[in-house]
Amino acid sequence: MITSTLRRVLLVAKHASFQSRCCVASSRVQYSTVYDSNEKTFDKILIANRGEIACRVMKTCKKMGIKTVAVHSDVDASAVHVKMADEAVCVGPAPTNKSYLNMDAIMDAIRKTGSQAVHPGYGFLSENKEFAKRLAAEDVVFIGPDTHAIHAMGDKIESKLLAKAANVNVIPGFDGVVENVEDAVKIAGDIGYPVMIKASAGGGGKGMRIAWNDDETREGFRLSSQEAASSFGDDRLLIEKFVDNPRHIEIQVLADKHGNALWLNERECSIQRRNQKVVEEAPSTFLDPETRRAMGEQAVQLAKAVHYSSAGTVEFLVDSNKNFYFLEMNTRLQVEHPITECITGLDLVQQMIRVAKGFPLLHKQEDIPINGWAIESRVYAEDPYKSFGLPSIGRLSQYQEPINLPKVRVDSGIQEGSDISIYYDPMISKLVTYGATRAEALQRMEAALDNYVIRGVTHNIPLLREIITHPRFISGDITTNFLPEEYPEGFKGHQLTSEGRRELVATAAALYVSNWCWNIECSNEMTLWPPWQVEVDGVTVEVSGEWNLASALLPVTINRTPRVLQCLSRDAGGDITLQYLGTQFKVRVLSQLVSTLSAHMPEKVPEDTSSILRSPMPGSVVAVSVKPGDVVAEGQEICVIEAMKMQNSLIAAKAAKVKSVHCKAGETVGEGDLLVQLE
């Protein structure tokens, strides 16, 4: 009997680290590109970017009948954005400063292809005023604001002064450039801790550190200036008061060259790690109509003050009393723009192209709706168990986006076989779900994450799913401190309840026996599961469903509750790895005899990590602070690793003498590589 066989197996469920893979770029959009064939814009646009944002811009261009040109590094020659474009030009080798930041090569590509305009996407040259000037000098249209607005808003010091002059609320702080580390300590003391040390140029969370004392100010000044120089070619820093327990809420603005400007509602961006956004939603659960209007009107005041034209974003910090303070203005399309498109119905890329050509806006403020709710999860090739997400690299062996589900949009720029490399941002995609209500959008996001198949690189779906199902997030009680507050010891994956453990164990048992049945008796690919009755810890669990052995998804019904699991691996020895509720678990199904014998097998002793320092991620060594024979204190910096333009300080786990050093500045290291050994 199958039932008696199940009762004789011993199942051991053990939590494990999460490994996976990825690819491709298609989406079900929630916005409309209303193309007027009588409204002539451009014949050909070059997209000075890569990945998902390049693909996103090209989709709108194709709807508008505009030919597109892709630029790419040599390692991106087969990338999706290259295949999607009508023409493609290689602009250099993999490092960004030799390719996507290589203005000379990109200008040559513009001349070679006869492109009339350039869309910069976000990052890279999108907020580089020199690039915009060079385009203007050759009568090529920059699809973005003019150089004055880029300069004024791209410099955090100048933008803060302009915001003050425009009667926009600003955070208290030092309005000048911080000259050196001791100057930083003095200024921080005058402002009062905690303070935020941040790069004057750029954005995206790079070059930002919170300091709570003088020592952290010194370290923050050093690391932030290095990051700023690496990411933006500008190491200037500023210091301002850190608003404790804030929300990060931004206003999307849209302005034309005729003095018209609109605010397109807000986006809640408070779920962050290392000052970089992870989950965003529109609208915010926190804002009332009066606060929304006040923030929108101040955002428009600032846009008009700098004669802004194009799409842009004004970012605010909002405290618990709904006081809001200007943070910065991003003079480009934001990563999270899709959720604004979902609730307004506007195609922001199309609006940018129209404005760049000189057309006036088609809408008035009263025309801008809030229809429904949209949520975006940034899916990264990152290990969420390391500082909520350290970069992972690898080749994408299997990838399946959940676009078969209703009201799901996936913006991506990858495909099966793509490489996630050390050179570029590790984003896989932007997963967006939309609903008439927030609860509906959240429910769809949960289903979309469960149905998202990624293999080959470690990814952050376990963290994303835990966030959007967390009671505090569901209630809307969030701040930018959400992750460290809820996971003070770091993210550990989904923590199984007794009921969850029984579900997992029962599913593994049913899968094991179903697989055995298929191997012995079945001749087709589909196994129809009868309702297996599995006894776990004295409780009977009913499992039923269909399992296609060629599919990565495992749709099951457990005690009449439908769920989607993923079978990541299984072998004849009874080892099964399942993705359940977003997290990877290893389950072993053993006969009673094998279970008895396995109890006598010696266990592998884990490595003593207190005496060695291994690289937690792939990257390049920026600095090594020790040499053999040095005595280090617990917590002392040993070396700095840069990955995806972020500086990461690695410290000693204990006080000891340095036995050997296995790296030097300038070297590239892989995840797990030995860096330093202590005695």
Side-chain angles (χ1 to χ4, degrees):
M1 294 286 292
I2 294 294
T3 303
S4 62
T5 301
L6 284 175
R7 285 176 177 164
R8 286 199 304 269
V9 299
L10 173 70
L11 303 119
V12 181
K14 185 170 80 172
H15 180 264
S17 61
F18 193 64
Q19 289 278 5
S20 299
R21 292 213 175 197
C22 4
C23 66
V24 103
S26 59
S27 65
R28 191 173 293 187
V29 297
Q30 303 294 338
Y31 59 91
S32 57
T33 308
V34 182
Y35 173 55
D36 182 353
S37 59
N38 296 317
E39 193 176 80
K40 183 68 175 174
T41 55
F42 304 102
D43 297 320
K44 186 184 291 187
I45 292 175
L46 181 143
I47 294 89
N49 217 297
R50 66 180 298 279
E52 66 85 14
I53 189 57
C55 294
R56 162 69 190 92
V57 173
M58 288 177 193
K59 287 174 186 175
T60 288
C61 288
K62 289 181 182 298
K63 290 177 184 177
M64 296 177 70
I66 301 170
K67 292 187 180 299
T68 56
V69 178
V71 294
H72 64 90
S73 65
D74 53 10
V75 298
D76 272 347
S78 299
V80 173
H81 77 281
V82 174
K83 296 176 181 178
M84 183 181 275
D86 296 295
E87 300 175 62
V89 180
C90 182
V91 289
T96 55
N97 64 334
K98 297 180 179 178
S99 52
Y100 295 104
L101 291 174
N102 186 343
M103 281 190 260
D104 289 338
I106 292 174
M107 294 303 300
D108 286 343
I110 293 167
R111 299 183 196 103
K112 178 181 177 181
T113 58
S115 299
Q116 299 164 313
V118 171
H119 196 299
Y122 55 75
F124 293 140
L125 297 171
S126 64
E127 295 176 286
N128 189 303
K129 64 181 183 294
E130 295 304 321
F131 182 56
K133 283 181 180 178
R134 291 185 64 170
L135 293 175
E138 300 204 20
D139 202 26
V140 176
V141 177
F142 179 75
I143 302 176
D146 63 24
T147 54
H148 166 71
I150 295 173
H151 172 76
M153 293 294 100
D155 186 297
K156 291 184 177 64
I157 297 170
E158 184 171 345
S159 67
K160 187 175 178 180
L161 295 174
L162 285 166
K164 276 185 179 180
N167 294 318
V168 176
N169 305 342
V170 298
I171 301 171
F174 178 68
D175 294 332
V177 176
V178 183
E179 298 294 339
N180 53 54
V181 67
E182 293 309 318
D183 192 24
V185 170
K186 182 181 183 304
I187 291 168
D190 291 342
I191 295 172
Y193 289 109
V195 297
M196 174 70 82
I197 302 168
K198 58 203 300 188
S200 177
K206 294 180 173 66
M208 296 176 67
R209 293 287 189 287
I210 299 168
W212 294 80
N213 54 51
D214 289 355
D215 288 341
E216 290 185 5
T217 297
R218 291 186 177 92
E219 181 183 19
F221 180 90
R222 178 173 60 87
L223 294 175
S224 290
S225 60
Q226 289 173 356
E227 273 182 11
S230 175
S231 297
F232 317 120
D234 184 343
D235 65 357
R236 292 176 304 144
L237 301 177
L238 60 86
I239 298 178
E240 62 190 19
K241 182 69 176 177
F242 176 66
V243 180
D244 208 2
N245 295 315
R247 284 175 179 259
H248 186 142
I249 300 177
E250 61 191 25
I251 301 291
Q252 176 72 59
V253 295
L254 181 65
D256 62 21
K257 299 178 186 296
H258 305 278
N260 304 306
L262 306 171
W263 48 274
L264 308 183
N265 305 309
E266 80 280 4
R267 295 186 288 254
E268 172 76 69
C269 306
S270 297
I271 304 298
Q272 304 180 1
R273 49 94 178 93
R274 299 190 304 280
N275 299 309
Q276 291 184 306
K277 302 160 191 171
V278 181
V279 176
E280 302 103 342
E281 60 183 305
S284 168
T285 61
F286 189 61
L287 295 192
D288 53 57
E290 292 75 21
T291 307
R292 175 180 296 115
R293 185 181 305 109
M295 293 177 69
E297 289 174 351
Q298 286 201 14
V300 166
Q301 284 170 210
L302 182 60
K304 288 185 174 181
V306 294
H307 306 291
Y308 196 86
S309 62
S310 194
T313 301
V314 181
E315 303 195 351
F316 294 94
L317 289 182
V318 186
D319 69 18
S320 58
N321 294 316
K322 297 181 182 175
N323 298 309
F324 56 90
Y325 305 97
F326 170 72
L327 185 63
E328 64 182 355
M329 183 175 188
N330 290 301
T331 57
R332 54 171 167 79
L333 194 64
Q334 288 281 88
V335 176
E336 58 273 18
H337 77 274
I339 54 178
T340 295
E341 293 182 327
C342 285
I343 67 167
T344 63
L346 296 178
D347 180 336
L348 292 181
V349 173
Q350 181 194 24
Q351 298 301 318
M352 294 178 75
I353 293 171
R354 290 187 69 260
V355 167
K357 186 62 177 177
F359 292 108
L361 297 181
L362 294 171
H363 305 86
K364 298 186 183 303
Q365 190 61 57
E366 56 267 25
D367 300 329
I368 305 302
I370 299 180
N371 289 328
W373 214 284
I375 297 173
E376 175 178 294
S377 292
R378 298 193 187 188
V379 182
Y380 282 104
E382 291 182 336
D383 186 344
Y385 302 101
K386 297 177 179 178
S387 300
F388 301 110
L390 293 184
S392 171
I393 61 173
R395 179 159 292 179
L396 311 175
S397 63
Q398 189 176 3
Y399 185 78
Q400 183 177 315
E401 294 174 348
I403 55 173
N404 59 306
L405 302 179
K407 295 187 177 179
V408 172
R409 168 178 169 178
V410 184
D411 283 15
S412 62
I414 52 174
Q415 62 186 2
E416 200 154 284
S418 292
D419 286 313
I420 302 294
S421 76
I422 191 176
Y423 297 106
Y424 311 119
D425 187 273
M427 181 183 285
I428 293 172
S429 73
K430 300 181 304 195
L431 176 64
V432 180
T433 57
Y434 175 77
T437 64
R438 185 171 187 260
E440 188 179 321
L442 281 172
Q443 186 178 39
R444 286 181 171 145
M445 180 60 72
E446 185 176 344
L449 290 168
D450 284 343
N451 282 270
Y452 207 143
V453 178
I454 303 173
R455 306 282 188 271
V457 295
T458 306
H459 58 74
N460 68 332
I461 282 180
L463 176 62
L464 295 172
R465 197 185 189 284
E466 286 300 297
I467 291 170
I468 62 106
T469 58
H470 195 289
R472 183 177 160 191
F473 181 82
I474 292 172
S475 72
D477 177 23
I478 58 175
T479 72
T480 56
N481 298 320
F482 176 87
L483 288 178
E485 286 175 356
E486 293 303 317
Y487 308 100
E489 303 300 319
F491 180 66
K492 307 295 183 185
H494 181 75
Q495 302 302 297
L496 289 172
T497 62
S498 55
E499 181 183 3
R501 180 185 177 278
R502 287 194 296 269
E503 284 191 7
L504 175 65
V505 165
T507 304
L511 176 62
Y512 179 83
V513 175
S514 181
N515 186 45
W516 168 78
C517 170
W518 185 88
N519 287 331
I520 300 298
E521 301 175 7
C522 301
S523 58
N524 56 35
E525 286 189 346
M526 185 74 72
T527 298
L528 300 176
W529 293 7
W532 301 130
Q533 303 292 323
V534 186
E535 187 177 307
V536 183
D537 299 332
V539 178
T540 300
V541 181
E542 184 177 280
V543 182
S544 62
E546 295 182 357
W547 174 238
N548 184 337
L549 294 179
S551 173
L553 298 175
L554 179 62
V556 298
T557 299
I558 308 173
N559 287 338
R560 300 184 181 180
T561 300
R563 296 199 183 281
V564 176
L565 286 73
Q566 296 186 31
C567 183
L568 305 180
S569 66
R570 65 186 189 279
D571 61 30
D575 287 326
I576 301 173
T577 304
L578 293 175
Q579 182 175 310
Y580 167 69
L581 302 180
T583 294
Q584 182 189 64
F585 296 91
K586 289 185 177 179
V587 183
R588 176 167 291 173
V589 185
L590 303 175
S591 69
Q592 191 64 55
L593 175 61
V594 173
S595 173
T596 301
L597 295 174
S598 66
H600 300 287
M601 297 293 289
E603 290 192 16
K604 183 179 179 181
V605 178
E607 185 178 40
D608 179 12
T609 56
S610 67
S611 296
I612 59 172
L613 180 68
R614 294 188 181 277
S615 180
M617 77 212 87
S620 59
V621 180
V622 174
V624 179
S625 307
V626 298
K627 62 182 182 301
D630 286 354
V631 175
V632 295
E634 180 180 352
Q636 180 178 331
E637 180 178 285
I638 290 181
C639 62
V640 177
I641 302 292
E642 181 178 278
M644 276 61 172
K645 301 298 182 184
M646 295 293 285
Q647 303 271 334
N648 300 274
S649 176
L650 306 185
I651 62 175
K654 66 178 183 180
K657 181 182 286 189
V658 177
K659 181 178 180 181
S660 56
V661 177
H662 300 270
C663 62
K664 60 183 178 181
E667 284 186 343
T668 298
V669 295
E671 181 179 357
D673 284 0
L674 179 63
L675 303 176
V676 174
Q677 191 169 8
L678 305 176
E679 291 185 352

